[in-house]
Amino acid sequence: MSEEETIEKEEPKKKAPAKKKAPAKKKAPAKEDTTKKPEKQQSQIIYIGKKDTISYVLVAVTILNKSDMCSIQARGRQISKAVDIAEITRRKFLQDMIEVDDVIIGSEEIISDEEGIPPKTVSTIDIILKRK
């Protein structure tokens, strides 16, 4: 045998025939919405759950670096974590740059799926942080 290696060439794979696209339908021009939407966007709201506190602090810092306002919302047992997040963000990460603009407290009624169980009332908080 010779020292030359024999390399087998692979046959190129055949592609499936391209499907023809239907001609695009012309859409009617979109109607302009004349109603004004509130300034608070969904991306500026942080809903507090079961993650670590520092995770939410980093999200708040990121939002406040991009925009002027951030809302931290929690209910029930997570209210204390929301207060911690607001204070850590304000005192440790963005010193002298942000302030607590407003704190809104309230309650929600949660209806159970099972019959015979009365609805529960759960406390809520909304902490609004704003750039100075």
Side-chain angles (χ1 to χ4, degrees):
M1 290 191 142
S2 64
E3 292 181 18
E4 294 179 19
E5 295 179 14
T6 56
I7 301 175
E8 294 181 23
K9 293 184 180 178
E10 294 181 19
E11 293 182 23
K13 295 180 181 178
K14 294 181 181 179
K15 294 181 181 178
K19 295 180 181 178
K20 293 182 181 179
K21 293 182 180 179
K25 296 179 181 178
K26 293 184 180 180
K27 294 181 180 179
K31 295 180 182 178
E32 292 184 25
D33 190 12
T34 56
T35 59
K36 291 188 177 182
K37 293 182 180 178
E39 289 183 26
K40 193 191 313 186
Q41 295 177 353
Q42 191 71 18
S43 63
Q44 296 174 335
I45 299 173
I46 302 170
Y47 296 102
I48 305 304
K50 300 205 180 231
K51 292 182 184 176
D52 293 333
T53 304
I54 194 68
S55 300
Y56 295 109
V57 170
L58 293 175
V59 171
V61 170
T62 304
I63 289 173
L64 287 166
N65 282 333
K66 293 180 181 178
S67 66
D68 293 337
M69 195 173 82
C70 174
S71 176
I72 300 171
Q73 294 183 357
R75 66 182 190 181
R77 294 181 183 174
Q78 304 302 325
I79 289 175
S80 62
K81 187 185 281 191
V83 173
D84 291 343
I85 291 163
E87 289 300 306
I88 291 170
T89 303
R90 185 174 69 89
R91 291 183 181 183
K92 301 286 183 187
F93 283 84
L94 298 174
Q95 299 168 349
D96 301 327
M97 291 179 64
I98 63 168
E99 62 187 0
V100 176
D101 186 47
D102 198 9
V103 177
I104 303 166
I105 57 172
S107 60
E108 291 180 6
E109 211 171 66
I110 299 178
I111 301 169
S112 177
D113 292 339
E114 298 177 23
E115 288 187 31
I117 297 177
K120 291 182 181 180
T121 305
V122 179
S123 300
T124 62
I125 192 166
D126 185 5
I127 304 169
I128 300 171
L129 301 175
K130 191 175 183 182
R131 283 188 173 269
K132 286 186 180 179

PDB file of all heavy atoms in Angstrom, residues 11-44:
ATOM      1  N   GLU A  11     -20.829  13.186  -1.323  1.00  0.00           N
ATOM      2  CA  GLU A  11     -21.694  13.759  -2.324  1.00  0.00           C
ATOM      3  C   GLU A  11     -22.427  14.937  -1.718  1.00  0.00           C
ATOM      4  O   GLU A  11     -22.879  14.881  -0.584  1.00  0.00           O
ATOM      5  CB  GLU A  11     -22.704  12.716  -2.814  1.00  0.00           C
ATOM      6  CG  GLU A  11     -22.071  11.588  -3.576  1.00  0.00           C
ATOM      7  CD  GLU A  11     -23.119  10.622  -4.074  1.00  0.00           C
ATOM      8  OE1 GLU A  11     -24.295  11.018  -4.207  1.00  0.00           O
ATOM      9  OE2 GLU A  11     -22.767   9.466  -4.321  1.00  0.00           O
ATOM     10  N   PRO A  12     -22.542  16.029  -2.449  1.00  0.00           N
ATOM     11  CA  PRO A  12     -23.274  17.169  -1.903  1.00  0.00           C
ATOM     12  C   PRO A  12     -24.738  16.794  -1.696  1.00  0.00           C
ATOM     13  O   PRO A  12     -25.340  16.103  -2.503  1.00  0.00           O
ATOM     14  CB  PRO A  12     -23.116  18.268  -2.952  1.00  0.00           C
ATOM     15  CG  PRO A  12     -22.692  17.574  -4.191  1.00  0.00           C
ATOM     16  CD  PRO A  12     -22.041  16.290  -3.781  1.00  0.00           C
ATOM     17  N   LYS A  13     -25.278  17.267  -0.562  1.00  0.00           N
ATOM     18  CA  LYS A  13     -26.674  16.969  -0.258  1.00  0.00           C
ATOM     19  C   LYS A  13     -27.572  17.795  -1.152  1.00  0.00           C
ATOM     20  O   LYS A  13     -27.301  18.955  -1.420  1.00  0.00           O
ATOM     21  CB  LYS A  13     -26.973  17.292   1.210  1.00  0.00           C
ATOM     22  CG  LYS A  13     -26.201  16.415   2.169  1.00  0.00           C
ATOM     23  CD  LYS A  13     -26.532  16.760   3.577  1.00  0.00           C
ATOM     24  CE  LYS A  13     -25.727  15.893   4.543  1.00  0.00           C
ATOM     25  NZ  LYS A  13     -25.999  16.237   5.918  1.00  0.00           N
ATOM     26  N   LYS A  14     -28.604  17.154  -1.609  1.00  0.00           N
ATOM     27  CA  LYS A  14     -29.536  17.846  -2.477  1.00  0.00           C
ATOM     28  C   LYS A  14     -30.519  18.629  -1.627  1.00  0.00           C
ATOM     29  O   LYS A  14     -31.021  18.134  -0.625  1.00  0.00           O
ATOM     30  CB  LYS A  14     -30.292  16.848  -3.370  1.00  0.00           C
ATOM     31  CG  LYS A  14     -29.381  16.148  -4.347  1.00  0.00           C
ATOM     32  CD  LYS A  14     -30.164  15.202  -5.217  1.00  0.00           C
ATOM     33  CE  LYS A  14     -29.251  14.480  -6.188  1.00  0.00           C
ATOM     34  NZ  LYS A  14     -29.982  13.548  -7.018  1.00  0.00           N
ATOM     35  N   LYS A  15     -30.754  19.853  -2.020  1.00  0.00           N
ATOM     36  CA  LYS A  15     -31.685  20.701  -1.292  1.00  0.00           C
ATOM     37  C   LYS A  15     -33.091  20.459  -1.804  1.00  0.00           C
ATOM     38  O   LYS A  15     -33.299  20.184  -2.972  1.00  0.00           O
ATOM     39  CB  LYS A  15     -31.338  22.180  -1.467  1.00  0.00           C
ATOM     40  CG  LYS A  15     -30.010  22.543  -0.841  1.00  0.00           C
ATOM     41  CD  LYS A  15     -29.734  24.014  -1.013  1.00  0.00           C
ATOM     42  CE  LYS A  15     -28.404  24.386  -0.408  1.00  0.00           C
ATOM     43  NZ  LYS A  15     -28.097  25.804  -0.595  1.00  0.00           N
ATOM     44  N   ALA A  16     -34.020  20.578  -0.885  1.00  0.00           N
ATOM     45  CA  ALA A  16     -35.420  20.436  -1.267  1.00  0.00           C
ATOM     46  C   ALA A  16     -35.796  21.640  -2.120  1.00  0.00           C
ATOM     47  O   ALA A  16     -35.284  22.742  -1.929  1.00  0.00           O
ATOM     48  CB  ALA A  16     -36.298  20.384  -0.021  1.00  0.00           C
ATOM     49  N   PRO A  17     -36.672  21.444  -3.077  1.00  0.00           N
ATOM     50  CA  PRO A  17     -37.049  22.575  -3.919  1.00  0.00           C
ATOM     51  C   PRO A  17     -37.713  23.666  -3.075  1.00  0.00           C
ATOM     52  O   PRO A  17     -38.462  23.379  -2.148  1.00  0.00           O
ATOM     53  CB  PRO A  17     -38.039  21.976  -4.926  1.00  0.00           C
ATOM     54  CG  PRO A  17     -38.459  20.673  -4.336  1.00  0.00           C
ATOM     55  CD  PRO A  17     -37.362  20.233  -3.436  1.00  0.00           C
ATOM     56  N   ALA A  18     -37.374  24.899  -3.380  1.00  0.00           N
ATOM     57  CA  ALA A  18     -37.908  26.031  -2.620  1.00  0.00           C
ATOM     58  C   ALA A  18     -39.404  26.168  -2.871  1.00  0.00           C
ATOM     59  O   ALA A  18     -39.880  25.991  -3.989  1.00  0.00           O
ATOM     60  CB  ALA A  18     -37.191  27.310  -3.030  1.00  0.00           C
ATOM     61  N   LYS A  19     -40.112  26.473  -1.797  1.00  0.00           N
ATOM     62  CA  LYS A  19     -41.549  26.664  -1.926  1.00  0.00           C
ATOM     63  C   LYS A  19     -41.810  28.066  -2.423  1.00  0.00           C
ATOM     64  O   LYS A  19     -41.147  29.014  -2.017  1.00  0.00           O
ATOM     65  CB  LYS A  19     -42.240  26.456  -0.573  1.00  0.00           C
ATOM     66  CG  LYS A  19     -42.132  25.044  -0.064  1.00  0.00           C
ATOM     67  CD  LYS A  19     -42.833  24.903   1.255  1.00  0.00           C
ATOM     68  CE  LYS A  19     -42.713  23.484   1.782  1.00  0.00           C
ATOM     69  NZ  LYS A  19     -43.347  23.360   3.085  1.00  0.00           N
ATOM     70  N   LYS A  20     -42.775  28.176  -3.284  1.00  0.00           N
ATOM     71  CA  LYS A  20     -43.122  29.490  -3.794  1.00  0.00           C
ATOM     72  C   LYS A  20     -43.986  30.206  -2.777  1.00  0.00           C
ATOM     73  O   LYS A  20     -44.909  29.624  -2.214  1.00  0.00           O
ATOM     74  CB  LYS A  20     -43.873  29.371  -5.124  1.00  0.00           C
ATOM     75  CG  LYS A  20     -43.016  28.823  -6.238  1.00  0.00           C
ATOM     76  CD  LYS A  20     -43.779  28.775  -7.525  1.00  0.00           C
ATOM     77  CE  LYS A  20     -42.930  28.214  -8.641  1.00  0.00           C
ATOM     78  NZ  LYS A  20     -43.659  28.132  -9.900  1.00  0.00           N
ATOM     79  N   LYS A  21     -43.651  31.458  -2.548  1.00  0.00           N
ATOM     80  CA  LYS A  21     -44.419  32.248  -1.596  1.00  0.00           C
ATOM     81  C   LYS A  21     -45.593  32.888  -2.312  1.00  0.00           C
ATOM     82  O   LYS A  21     -45.483  33.306  -3.462  1.00  0.00           O
ATOM     83  CB  LYS A  21     -43.551  33.339  -0.974  1.00  0.00           C
ATOM     84  CG  LYS A  21     -42.461  32.791  -0.094  1.00  0.00           C
ATOM     85  CD  LYS A  21     -41.673  33.899   0.535  1.00  0.00           C
ATOM     86  CE  LYS A  21     -40.568  33.354   1.413  1.00  0.00           C
ATOM     87  NZ  LYS A  21     -39.784  34.432   2.006  1.00  0.00           N
ATOM     88  N   ALA A  22     -46.677  32.967  -1.587  1.00  0.00           N
ATOM     89  CA  ALA A  22     -47.864  33.621  -2.137  1.00  0.00           C
ATOM     90  C   ALA A  22     -47.595  35.123  -2.199  1.00  0.00           C
ATOM     91  O   ALA A  22     -46.863  35.666  -1.377  1.00  0.00           O
ATOM     92  CB  ALA A  22     -49.072  33.343  -1.258  1.00  0.00           C
ATOM     93  N   PRO A  23     -48.147  35.799  -3.173  1.00  0.00           N
ATOM     94  CA  PRO A  23     -47.925  37.230  -3.246  1.00  0.00           C
ATOM     95  C   PRO A  23     -48.473  37.913  -1.992  1.00  0.00           C
ATOM     96  O   PRO A  23     -49.495  37.523  -1.446  1.00  0.00           O
ATOM     97  CB  PRO A  23     -48.695  37.669  -4.496  1.00  0.00           C
ATOM     98  CG  PRO A  23     -49.631  36.547  -4.787  1.00  0.00           C
ATOM     99  CD  PRO A  23     -49.022  35.313  -4.218  1.00  0.00           C
ATOM    100  N   ALA A  24     -47.728  38.923  -1.526  1.00  0.00           N
ATOM    101  CA  ALA A  24     -48.118  39.621  -0.301  1.00  0.00           C
ATOM    102  C   ALA A  24     -49.413  40.389  -0.520  1.00  0.00           C
ATOM    103  O   ALA A  24     -49.615  41.031  -1.547  1.00  0.00           O
ATOM    104  CB  ALA A  24     -47.013  40.579   0.121  1.00  0.00           C
ATOM    105  N   LYS A  25     -50.287  40.276   0.479  1.00  0.00           N
ATOM    106  CA  LYS A  25     -51.547  41.005   0.389  1.00  0.00           C
ATOM    107  C   LYS A  25     -51.326  42.427   0.871  1.00  0.00           C
ATOM    108  O   LYS A  25     -50.582  42.672   1.806  1.00  0.00           O
ATOM    109  CB  LYS A  25     -52.608  40.332   1.269  1.00  0.00           C
ATOM    110  CG  LYS A  25     -52.963  38.944   0.816  1.00  0.00           C
ATOM    111  CD  LYS A  25     -53.996  38.336   1.728  1.00  0.00           C
ATOM    112  CE  LYS A  25     -54.333  36.920   1.294  1.00  0.00           C
ATOM    113  NZ  LYS A  25     -55.295  36.308   2.201  1.00  0.00           N
ATOM    114  N   LYS A  26     -51.972  43.343   0.215  1.00  0.00           N
ATOM    115  CA  LYS A  26     -51.853  44.728   0.636  1.00  0.00           C
ATOM    116  C   LYS A  26     -52.766  44.962   1.822  1.00  0.00           C
ATOM    117  O   LYS A  26     -53.928  44.585   1.806  1.00  0.00           O
ATOM    118  CB  LYS A  26     -52.239  45.671  -0.517  1.00  0.00           C
ATOM    119  CG  LYS A  26     -51.259  45.615  -1.663  1.00  0.00           C
ATOM    120  CD  LYS A  26     -51.607  46.609  -2.715  1.00  0.00           C
ATOM    121  CE  LYS A  26     -50.613  46.556  -3.862  1.00  0.00           C
ATOM    122  NZ  LYS A  26     -50.923  47.520  -4.903  1.00  0.00           N
ATOM    123  N   LYS A  27     -52.180  45.561   2.863  1.00  0.00           N
ATOM    124  CA  LYS A  27     -52.938  45.829   4.068  1.00  0.00           C
ATOM    125  C   LYS A  27     -53.433  47.266   4.048  1.00  0.00           C
ATOM    126  O   LYS A  27     -52.795  48.148   3.487  1.00  0.00           O
ATOM    127  CB  LYS A  27     -52.066  45.614   5.309  1.00  0.00           C
ATOM    128  CG  LYS A  27     -51.653  44.177   5.506  1.00  0.00           C
ATOM    129  CD  LYS A  27     -50.836  44.024   6.749  1.00  0.00           C
ATOM    130  CE  LYS A  27     -50.412  42.569   6.939  1.00  0.00           C
ATOM    131  NZ  LYS A  27     -49.591  42.413   8.127  1.00  0.00           N
ATOM    132  N   ALA A  28     -54.552  47.470   4.688  1.00  0.00           N
ATOM    133  CA  ALA A  28     -55.082  48.823   4.809  1.00  0.00           C
ATOM    134  C   ALA A  28     -54.163  49.612   5.727  1.00  0.00           C
ATOM    135  O   ALA A  28     -53.559  49.055   6.636  1.00  0.00           O
ATOM    136  CB  ALA A  28     -56.497  48.789   5.384  1.00  0.00           C
ATOM    137  N   PRO A  29     -54.013  50.901   5.513  1.00  0.00           N
ATOM    138  CA  PRO A  29     -53.141  51.687   6.376  1.00  0.00           C
ATOM    139  C   PRO A  29     -53.640  51.648   7.817  1.00  0.00           C
ATOM    140  O   PRO A  29     -54.845  51.669   8.066  1.00  0.00           O
ATOM    141  CB  PRO A  29     -53.210  53.099   5.792  1.00  0.00           C
ATOM    142  CG  PRO A  29     -54.397  53.117   4.898  1.00  0.00           C
ATOM    143  CD  PRO A  29     -54.651  51.713   4.479  1.00  0.00           C
ATOM    144  N   ALA A  30     -52.696  51.547   8.752  1.00  0.00           N
ATOM    145  CA  ALA A  30     -53.066  51.456  10.163  1.00  0.00           C
ATOM    146  C   ALA A  30     -53.654  52.767  10.643  1.00  0.00           C
ATOM    147  O   ALA A  30     -53.202  53.847  10.260  1.00  0.00           O
ATOM    148  CB  ALA A  30     -51.827  51.108  10.986  1.00  0.00           C
ATOM    149  N   LYS A  31     -54.669  52.651  11.468  1.00  0.00           N
ATOM    150  CA  LYS A  31     -55.282  53.850  12.018  1.00  0.00           C
ATOM    151  C   LYS A  31     -54.412  54.380  13.145  1.00  0.00           C
ATOM    152  O   LYS A  31     -53.888  53.621  13.936  1.00  0.00           O
ATOM    153  CB  LYS A  31     -56.683  53.538  12.552  1.00  0.00           C
ATOM    154  CG  LYS A  31     -57.651  53.129  11.476  1.00  0.00           C
ATOM    155  CD  LYS A  31     -59.001  52.835  12.070  1.00  0.00           C
ATOM    156  CE  LYS A  31     -59.970  52.380  10.991  1.00  0.00           C
ATOM    157  NZ  LYS A  31     -61.271  52.036  11.548  1.00  0.00           N
ATOM    158  N   GLU A  32     -54.266  55.680  13.197  1.00  0.00           N
ATOM    159  CA  GLU A  32     -53.462  56.277  14.241  1.00  0.00           C
ATOM    160  C   GLU A  32     -54.266  56.355  15.529  1.00  0.00           C
ATOM    161  O   GLU A  32     -55.445  56.685  15.514  1.00  0.00           O
ATOM    162  CB  GLU A  32     -53.014  57.677  13.830  1.00  0.00           C
ATOM    163  CG  GLU A  32     -52.023  57.668  12.690  1.00  0.00           C
ATOM    164  CD  GLU A  32     -51.529  59.054  12.359  1.00  0.00           C
ATOM    165  OE1 GLU A  32     -51.568  59.922  13.246  1.00  0.00           O
ATOM    166  OE2 GLU A  32     -51.119  59.254  11.231  1.00  0.00           O
ATOM    167  N   ASP A  33     -53.607  56.017  16.631  1.00  0.00           N
ATOM    168  CA  ASP A  33     -54.252  56.061  17.930  1.00  0.00           C
ATOM    169  C   ASP A  33     -54.121  57.477  18.482  1.00  0.00           C
ATOM    170  O   ASP A  33     -53.018  57.957  18.713  1.00  0.00           O
ATOM    171  CB  ASP A  33     -53.591  55.051  18.880  1.00  0.00           C
ATOM    172  CG  ASP A  33     -54.365  54.884  20.165  1.00  0.00           C
ATOM    173  OD1 ASP A  33     -55.519  55.363  20.225  1.00  0.00           O
ATOM    174  OD2 ASP A  33     -53.820  54.275  21.094  1.00  0.00           O
ATOM    175  N   THR A  34     -55.232  58.139  18.680  1.00  0.00           N
ATOM    176  CA  THR A  34     -55.198  59.522  19.134  1.00  0.00           C
ATOM    177  C   THR A  34     -55.217  59.626  20.656  1.00  0.00           C
ATOM    178  O   THR A  34     -54.970  60.692  21.196  1.00  0.00           O
ATOM    179  CB  THR A  34     -56.392  60.316  18.561  1.00  0.00           C
ATOM    180  OG1 THR A  34     -57.604  59.640  18.922  1.00  0.00           O
ATOM    181  CG2 THR A  34     -56.289  60.412  17.055  1.00  0.00           C
ATOM    182  N   THR A  35     -55.493  58.520  21.355  1.00  0.00           N
ATOM    183  CA  THR A  35     -55.503  58.573  22.807  1.00  0.00           C
ATOM    184  C   THR A  35     -54.074  58.544  23.327  1.00  0.00           C
ATOM    185  O   THR A  35     -53.224  57.851  22.787  1.00  0.00           O
ATOM    186  CB  THR A  35     -56.281  57.383  23.401  1.00  0.00           C
ATOM    187  OG1 THR A  35     -55.657  56.177  22.955  1.00  0.00           O
ATOM    188  CG2 THR A  35     -57.727  57.399  22.964  1.00  0.00           C
ATOM    189  N   LYS A  36     -53.829  59.301  24.366  1.00  0.00           N
ATOM    190  CA  LYS A  36     -52.490  59.343  24.943  1.00  0.00           C
ATOM    191  C   LYS A  36     -52.338  58.202  25.939  1.00  0.00           C
ATOM    192  O   LYS A  36     -53.212  57.946  26.743  1.00  0.00           O
ATOM    193  CB  LYS A  36     -52.249  60.680  25.642  1.00  0.00           C
ATOM    194  CG  LYS A  36     -52.144  61.825  24.674  1.00  0.00           C
ATOM    195  CD  LYS A  36     -51.718  63.061  25.397  1.00  0.00           C
ATOM    196  CE  LYS A  36     -51.547  64.205  24.411  1.00  0.00           C
ATOM    197  NZ  LYS A  36     -51.083  65.413  25.074  1.00  0.00           N
ATOM    198  N   LYS A  37     -51.201  57.525  25.869  1.00  0.00           N
ATOM    199  CA  LYS A  37     -50.920  56.439  26.784  1.00  0.00           C
ATOM    200  C   LYS A  37     -50.110  56.994  27.953  1.00  0.00           C
ATOM    201  O   LYS A  37     -49.343  57.934  27.791  1.00  0.00           O
ATOM    202  CB  LYS A  37     -50.128  55.331  26.070  1.00  0.00           C
ATOM    203  CG  LYS A  37     -50.944  54.649  24.996  1.00  0.00           C
ATOM    204  CD  LYS A  37     -50.185  53.545  24.360  1.00  0.00           C
ATOM    205  CE  LYS A  37     -51.018  52.871  23.275  1.00  0.00           C
ATOM    206  NZ  LYS A  37     -50.315  51.834  22.592  1.00  0.00           N
ATOM    207  N   PRO A  38     -50.252  56.403  29.137  1.00  0.00           N
ATOM    208  CA  PRO A  38     -49.480  56.891  30.270  1.00  0.00           C
ATOM    209  C   PRO A  38     -47.988  56.690  30.052  1.00  0.00           C
ATOM    210  O   PRO A  38     -47.564  55.802  29.324  1.00  0.00           O
ATOM    211  CB  PRO A  38     -49.989  56.059  31.447  1.00  0.00           C
ATOM    212  CG  PRO A  38     -50.647  54.883  30.841  1.00  0.00           C
ATOM    213  CD  PRO A  38     -51.125  55.309  29.493  1.00  0.00           C
ATOM    214  N   GLU A  39     -47.185  57.526  30.719  1.00  0.00           N
ATOM    215  CA  GLU A  39     -45.742  57.478  30.538  1.00  0.00           C
ATOM    216  C   GLU A  39     -45.121  56.197  31.076  1.00  0.00           C
ATOM    217  O   GLU A  39     -44.112  55.743  30.584  1.00  0.00           O
ATOM    218  CB  GLU A  39     -45.094  58.683  31.223  1.00  0.00           C
ATOM    219  CG  GLU A  39     -45.356  59.984  30.507  1.00  0.00           C
ATOM    220  CD  GLU A  39     -44.643  61.139  31.175  1.00  0.00           C
ATOM    221  OE1 GLU A  39     -43.613  60.918  31.834  1.00  0.00           O
ATOM    222  OE2 GLU A  39     -45.118  62.261  31.015  1.00  0.00           O
ATOM    223  N   LYS A  40     -45.729  55.618  32.114  1.00  0.00           N
ATOM    224  CA  LYS A  40     -45.168  54.412  32.714  1.00  0.00           C
ATOM    225  C   LYS A  40     -45.350  53.234  31.766  1.00  0.00           C
ATOM    226  O   LYS A  40     -46.445  52.828  31.473  1.00  0.00           O
ATOM    227  CB  LYS A  40     -45.859  54.122  34.045  1.00  0.00           C
ATOM    228  CG  LYS A  40     -45.126  53.078  34.855  1.00  0.00           C
ATOM    229  CD  LYS A  40     -45.870  52.564  36.046  1.00  0.00           C
ATOM    230  CE  LYS A  40     -46.503  53.558  36.934  1.00  0.00           C
ATOM    231  NZ  LYS A  40     -47.083  52.971  38.138  1.00  0.00           N
ATOM    232  N   GLN A  41     -44.246  52.703  31.279  1.00  0.00           N
ATOM    233  CA  GLN A  41     -44.302  51.588  30.347  1.00  0.00           C
ATOM    234  C   GLN A  41     -44.122  50.288  31.110  1.00  0.00           C
ATOM    235  O   GLN A  41     -43.632  50.258  32.228  1.00  0.00           O
ATOM    236  CB  GLN A  41     -43.204  51.716  29.302  1.00  0.00           C
ATOM    237  CG  GLN A  41     -43.370  52.921  28.417  1.00  0.00           C
ATOM    238  CD  GLN A  41     -42.206  53.046  27.451  1.00  0.00           C
ATOM    239  OE1 GLN A  41     -41.229  52.307  27.553  1.00  0.00           O
ATOM    240  NE2 GLN A  41     -42.300  53.973  26.537  1.00  0.00           N
ATOM    241  N   GLN A  42     -44.500  49.197  30.497  1.00  0.00           N
ATOM    242  CA  GLN A  42     -44.402  47.887  31.116  1.00  0.00           C
ATOM    243  C   GLN A  42     -42.952  47.534  31.436  1.00  0.00           C
ATOM    244  O   GLN A  42     -42.682  46.868  32.411  1.00  0.00           O
ATOM    245  CB  GLN A  42     -45.014  46.829  30.183  1.00  0.00           C
ATOM    246  CG  GLN A  42     -45.199  45.482  30.812  1.00  0.00           C
ATOM    247  CD  GLN A  42     -46.296  45.461  31.844  1.00  0.00           C
ATOM    248  OE1 GLN A  42     -47.135  46.329  31.893  1.00  0.00           O
ATOM    249  NE2 GLN A  42     -46.285  44.463  32.699  1.00  0.00           N
ATOM    250  N   SER A  43     -41.999  47.984  30.626  1.00  0.00           N
ATOM    251  CA  SER A  43     -40.611  47.621  30.833  1.00  0.00           C
ATOM    252  C   SER A  43     -40.008  48.330  32.037  1.00  0.00           C
ATOM    253  O   SER A  43     -38.951  47.960  32.512  1.00  0.00           O
ATOM    254  CB  SER A  43     -39.788  47.936  29.585  1.00  0.00           C
ATOM    255  OG  SER A  43     -39.810  49.329  29.350  1.00  0.00           O
ATOM    256  N   GLN A  44     -40.665  49.358  32.579  1.00  0.00           N
ATOM    257  CA  GLN A  44     -40.140  50.093  33.710  1.00  0.00           C
ATOM    258  C   GLN A  44     -40.706  49.593  35.033  1.00  0.00           C
ATOM    259  O   GLN A  44     -40.434  50.165  36.069  1.00  0.00           O
ATOM    260  CB  GLN A  44     -40.453  51.578  33.550  1.00  0.00           C
ATOM    261  CG  GLN A  44     -39.766  52.190  32.347  1.00  0.00           C
ATOM    262  CD  GLN A  44     -40.191  53.616  32.122  1.00  0.00           C
ATOM    263  OE1 GLN A  44     -41.268  54.004  32.534  1.00  0.00           O
ATOM    264  NE2 GLN A  44     -39.361  54.379  31.472  1.00  0.00           N
TER     265      GLN A  44
END
